[in-house]
Amino acid sequence: MTEPQTNTLRGEGISLSFGGIKVLKDLDVEFRAGEITGLIGPNGAGKTSLFNCLTGAYTPQKGNIGYAGNSLNGLPPSMRAAKGIVRSFQHVALCPDLTVRENVMIGVARNHHSGWLNAFLPLPRGQREWAAMAQDANRALADLGLAEMGDLMPDALPPGMQRLVEIARAIVGNPSVLLLDEPAAGLNNSETSDLMAVLRELASNDLVLVVVEHDMDLVMSICDRIYVLNFGELVADGTPKEVRENPNVVRIYLGSDDD
Amino acid sequence: MSDTFGQRPANASETSMLKQLTSGSLPTLALIIALAFLPAMLGGSWTFTMGLCFANSIGVLAVSLLVRYGGEVSIGHTFFTALGAYSVGVLDAKYGLSLFASLPLALLLGVAFGVIFAWPSRNLSGIYLAVTTLALALAVPEIINNLGGITGGYEGLYVSTPIVSFLEMSMQRYYFALLMLVVATYLVARLRKSRQGMLLLLAKTHSAAADAFGTRRVWARISIMGISGGIGALCGATLAFSGSTVSPGGFTFSQAIFLLVGSVVGFYGLSLPRVLLGGAFVTLVPHLLSASGAWIPVFYGIALLSMILIGHHLPRIRKAMKLRKEAG
Ligand SMILES: Nc1ncnc2c1ncn2[C@@H]1O[C@H](COP(=O)(O)OP(=O)(O)OP(=O)(O)O)[C@@H](O)[C@H]1O
Ligand SMILES: [Mg+2]
């Protein structure tokens, strides 16, 4: 039997600063496969920055990042993506020139490798590849209740649905690590509960699933474990119950109420 | 929850394909057939001019492709057209080789130099990249004249080796250009429905997202420059064969600007009708202008260039102004 701990995504002593402003301060985090981990904290706490470090978009000045026992330090984002480390963006980053389905197909593109001739000529391999990507995309769209939207352009969708497309793009390629940055922002209640169902289903034994979210009901109900960040520092971590009762967390959330 | 969004046909992808066929391909097909019969109705000199127009349309396609798939503006594509044209000219005039040999060479050189150019300029974009391509364009006539031994210098080269034996040379010049234009627009249309095409488009609009899904922006830049360079060289090769002569005058800086202007005139379109519109502009307007004084094309080019750059950056300028208004 394999230990569930082996597919852990780890950050040790991560420090990140921008021109003297410390955004992450000596942060230790451990995201385990098979669990849904919540990452919460007030605006500007450094949640998105931590995602950027994990995916390689930012290079922390100090610290180590590893997945499944291998160091990811120095690996560019594209190579982390090749390892199945995938994210969604807080600010929806869909391509307006592509249909909704094609945007989702991007999420499986890394699993296909047909050459340039297939890009210019209707050769069987490229055709098969395209059909397979479209099929995967359709399935992911259907999971998120967007089955009918595939042929629309993203701009034709309301913001909540655009975000779901963004999430579909992230989950479609069977990632091993899935980092979702505010997946429920802009969703209505029924969309949110659909999303929660999808996330629960996704949380299988070999997926590291981390969710940054301001929607506390969502976080408290789906997460197995929660990290609380404030000003780039870890203030608390534990089960939802532990975190909810942690006096530091209560103070932070009451203190930030006035904005 | 999706049923709140109206009833859509279950096979939405099929109906949209049908729509695409009827809205895009049929008029294009009709246009190709009409163009195929055109020489029967036109005089010799117009047939010749139309051949040039097709060739220039391919150049417009190369520039528009770079804009649409790379988000970049080139004012140096005469570098690539010259590469293609001189591949054909030199192999023909010096070695008596036909397009069967020179066309592959032209494509190879175009792609190779596109890639070679893309590497050192991979971190440049916008106006900075445009200025770098400008350097290419300015270098071209100098290079050609300095290599006078093989390029024929100012005199140029005459291209006369036929491709087939059963057709009159003037018809070959026309139909070859038409064929190349049709093939080029077809290949580019295919790109849109390919994995690589999608990734290029994403890299253009959201390079961070492309990165996060395994597409390096360097790959995107090199790929699109290679493709655009190759199509540029195809334009040059076609110009050489259909125009029958290759000389430095065809690859001046103002010609490079005209290609960009042609691309704007075709609304950066990649379809056959759109690039033809741009190609017609590139072919006809310089003729009309040159009758009215040597400097006018230059002023004209500069005026248009500034318009293009403003147009190109307008969305960003607007956004910035809006932000400032909201902040203030
Ligand atoms: N590229 C950057 N350059 C400079 N500062 C940055 C950069 N990225 C993030 N920051 C700063 O880092 C801090 C943390 O930002 P981050 O986006 O990680 O916060 P967050 O926890 O995701 O907040 P939110 O809930 O608002 O999304 C902020 O003060 C932000 O201004
Ligand atoms: Mg954030």
Side-chain angles (χ1 to χ4, degrees), chain B residues 100-165:
Chain B
F100 287 110
S102 54
L103 189 60
L105 175 70
L107 287 174
L108 196 73
L109 286 177
V111 173
F113 274 88
V115 169
I116 291 171
F117 173 77
W119 179 251
S121 65
R122 65 193 179 279
N123 292 325
L124 300 178
S125 64
I127 187 80
Y128 303 101
L129 185 74
V131 168
T132 316
T133 62
L134 168 85
L136 280 183
L138 291 175
V140 170
E142 300 298 321
I143 297 171
I144 296 171
N145 285 327
N146 280 328
L147 298 176
I150 53 167
T151 63
Y154 274 116
E155 303 274 297
L157 301 163
Y158 183 62
V159 178
S160 57
T161 309
I163 325 172
V164 290
S165 52

Side-chain angles (χ1 to χ4, degrees), chain A residues 114-127 129-130, chain B residues 61 65 69 107 111 182-197 200 219 222-231 270:
Chain A
S114 72
W116 276 103
L117 269 186
N118 293 278
F120 292 110
L121 295 169
L123 302 178
R125 180 162 178 207
Q127 306 275 67
E129 182 180 281
W130 185 268
Chain B
L61 177 68
L65 186 73
Y69 280 80
L107 287 174
V111 173
V182 170
V183 167
T185 47
Y186 171 77
L187 296 180
V188 166
R190 293 282 329 164
L191 179 65
R192 175 60 185 78
K193 291 289 166 191
S194 72
R195 188 185 85 249
Q196 290 90 340
L200 287 175
W219 169 86
I222 288 179
S223 303
I224 194 59
M225 281 304 300
I227 299 168
S228 183
I231 297 176
L270 304 175

Side-chain angles (χ1 to χ4, degrees), chain B residues 211-224:
Chain B
D211 252 343
F213 286 94
T215 300
R216 284 166 303 139
R217 47 195 105 173
V218 179
W219 169 86
R221 172 61 70 76
I222 288 179
S223 303
I224 194 59

Side-chain angles (χ1 to χ4, degrees), chain A:
Chain A
M1 207 189 105
T2 52
E3 281 231 67
Q5 251 76 345
T6 50
N7 285 345
T8 300
L9 177 67
R10 242 195 214 96
E12 291 168 350
I14 298 176
S15 295
L16 175 76
S17 49
F18 289 104
I21 298 168
K22 287 183 180 158
V23 172
L24 297 176
K25 298 167 194 161
D26 196 21
L27 210 59
D28 291 311
V29 288
E30 185 184 285
F31 303 119
R32 295 182 197 144
E35 289 185 352
I36 302 183
T37 312
L39 184 59
I40 64 172
N43 292 115
K47 307 177 295 292
T48 301
S49 299
L50 178 59
F51 272 14
N52 281 329
C53 292
L54 296 172
T55 58
Y58 291 170
T59 309
Q61 278 81 9
K62 266 193 270 171
N64 294 305
I65 292 165
Y67 170 64
N70 301 315
S71 169
L72 299 179
N73 295 344
L75 275 191
S78 56
M79 289 181 70
R80 298 190 198 201
K83 289 182 180 289
I85 301 176
V86 165
R87 70 179 296 180
S88 75
F89 288 85
Q90 178 174 356
H91 302 286
V92 174
L94 300 174
C95 177
D97 300 330
L98 299 174
T99 66
V100 164
R101 180 182 302 105
E102 287 164 346
N103 266 293
V104 177
M105 286 160 73
I106 294 279
V108 273
R110 66 176 185 281
N111 302 331
H112 296 275
H113 307 282
S114 72
W116 276 103
L117 269 186
N118 293 278
F120 292 110
L121 295 169
L123 302 178
R125 180 162 178 207
Q127 306 275 67
R128 256 184 280 126
E129 182 180 281
W130 185 268
M133 290 193 298
Q135 203 173 20
D136 289 343
N138 284 339
R139 203 174 305 129
L141 284 170
D143 284 347
L144 290 161
L146 300 171
E148 319 275 282
M149 309 294 157
D151 288 310
L152 301 179
M153 299 313 269
D155 291 347
L157 300 184
M161 288 206 173
Q162 291 183 18
R163 184 164 300 278
L164 290 177
V165 176
E166 167 95 26
I167 294 164
R169 178 175 68 179
I171 66 177
V172 67
N174 291 325
S176 46
V177 173
L178 180 56
L179 308 172
L180 298 178
D181 201 345
E182 307 200 10
L187 301 195
N188 61 33
N189 287 340
S190 87
E191 286 166 340
T192 304
S193 63
D194 280 10
L195 174 67
M196 279 161 58
V198 170
L199 295 185
R200 280 207 189 92
E201 201 164 315
L202 272 176
S204 64
N205 265 337
D206 45 5
L207 176 69
V208 174
L209 178 51
V210 187
V211 181
V212 165
E213 195 39 73
H214 285 296
D215 180 339
M216 281 310 133
D217 295 336
L218 183 147
V219 171
M220 292 296 166
S221 76
I222 68 167
C223 292
D224 302 294
R225 197 178 154 83
I226 294 172
Y227 282 95
V228 187
L229 278 187
N230 193 25
F231 293 115
E233 275 172 314
L234 201 59
V235 238
D237 73 283
T239 64
K241 187 167 181 296
E242 288 164 358
V243 163
R244 199 169 12 209
E245 289 163 0
N246 186 311
N248 286 333
V249 177
V250 175
R251 188 168 40 80
I252 289 166
Y253 273 88
L254 289 180
S256 67
D257 245 356
D258 50 2
D259 60 33

